Each structure stands twice: as C-alpha cells, then as structure tokens.
Amino acid sequence: MFYGFFLGVCFLVFKLCNRFEVLGTENIKEIADGKAGFFAANHASAIDCYMLAAALYFPYRRRISPLTRSVWINHPYAGFFLRSCDAIALDKRGRYSLLGAIRESQNRLDKGVSVVGCPEGIRTATGRLNELKGGLPLIAVKTKAPVIPVWLGGSFRALPAGACFLRPAKLYVEFGRPIDPEELPAELTDKEKTALILEKLNEFYREREARDIKNGILKLKEN
C-alpha cells in the first residue's frame, strides 16, 4: 500500500511542479503486459528512482526492484522506499557482491518484477554522464533479461546533489528500444555481449544528453 501511495504523491508533484511526461512507451509494451526486464538508467539525482518507478506504476501498475548499495537500503529515509520495493544490494565485496546480485536479480525476474540499475555506478556531480561500468550489463547477460535503456531527463536541474528542495524544472522519462542478450550473436562471449550492450547504452545516453543540453533541460556544472 505504501509503495503505490508514495508513488502517487510523487507522480502528482512531478506533474504539477515539473510538467512530468513519459516518452517511448511503445518500447515497453511487453513490460506493460507482464514481462520482466532490466531497466538501465542514467543517474543524476536522488529523485531518479522515484521518476522511473512512477512512470511504470502509472498506468501500468508494474513494480520495480532497484539495484543499489546496501548503505542506501539501510538509510532511515531513502531506505524506507527501497525496502518497500524489495531492492537488491550491490556492493564491491562481501555478501552483497556481484554474484549475489545476479542471484537476487534472477529471483526478482522469475517473479515478474523488473530490475533497475544505473550503469554509471554513481550519481553525476556535474550533470555530465559518468563513464559506464560493466557490472550491471553483465547481470543482464547472466539473467538473459532484455535491457531497456532509460533516460531520466531534467532530474539534475530539478534536484542536483546537495539541493534540499525540488526545483520547477521540466522532468521526463524516455524508454529506448530493448536490447535482448538472447538476440546478440551466439558466438560472442559474455564479456563481448556486455561490451556491446554498454556501447548501445552509451550511444543512447549521449544522444539524449546532447539534446537536453541544446534544449536547456540540462545545464552542466563546473567541477
């Protein structure tokens, strides 16, 4: 009950204050119909997860399970929502290592719950896309889940790192065409498939980053 209520509040606030919209819904028809996938999103703000979750819950009623560091799941505020959506802990070592994340991701996907992760690994401090890392695409390859590229537009301007209050900047979620690991050439190794997925994700992100800068939706911050 909390999950739906909280996202309803988020959706309403985003709509009223940030002219929130969702693009590329034709690319998630199978997800809307009940199939689970792996959403790979850019990471520019603390509201990123809420934007994506709201876009999938209204009107599709599809839940997500984010991949995040264990410290956030145990956080007194952000952790409340993350625990409500059965988030998956992913740390560099220990019980929440990559192997554990692969196992837990497969568990969620088998239940029809889509997994969400950020290939950058960390939130951008400048608005500019960080270098993509191979861990999350590798999880998708291992679980054989289709990867749906996601661009979360405007979030850096609406609530950059260090900001306490949401600013009235335009927000939108755009879904790209799914990348199915099962449709990649069979002769490729898992490492090569991961690299190819990273290449496709990077192309998707860079095109939208350039467009947002041009349209004034993204204003970069100097280091």
Side-chain angles (χ1 to χ4, degrees), residues 53-107:
L56 288 170
Y57 198 73
F58 301 100
Y60 307 114
R61 295 295 189 271
R62 303 300 299 160
R63 297 177 70 96
I64 62 170
S65 184
L67 278 159
T68 186
R69 291 167 57 195
S70 59
V71 65
W72 290 115
I73 296 178
N74 297 318
H75 192 276
Y77 303 117
F80 198 71
F81 173 74
L82 292 171
R83 290 190 296 271
S84 76
C85 52
D86 200 17
I88 302 168
L90 175 58
D91 293 336
K92 290 184 177 180
R93 58 182 64 87
R95 61 180 295 198
Y96 301 121
S97 64
L98 183 60
L99 288 177
I102 292 173
R103 182 175 60 253
E104 290 300 317
S105 296
Q106 187 65 67
N107 178 269

Side-chain angles (χ1 to χ4, degrees), residues 105-120:
S105 296
Q106 187 65 67
N107 178 269
R108 304 300 191 281
L109 293 164
D110 290 343
K111 294 178 180 178
V113 177
S114 292
V115 177
V116 176
C118 301
E120 295 170 86

Side-chain angles (χ1 to χ4, degrees), residues 22-29 32 60 175:
V22 181
L23 310 175
T25 53
E26 69 277 3
N27 294 317
I28 59 168
K29 289 181 178 179
Y60 307 114
F175 298 106

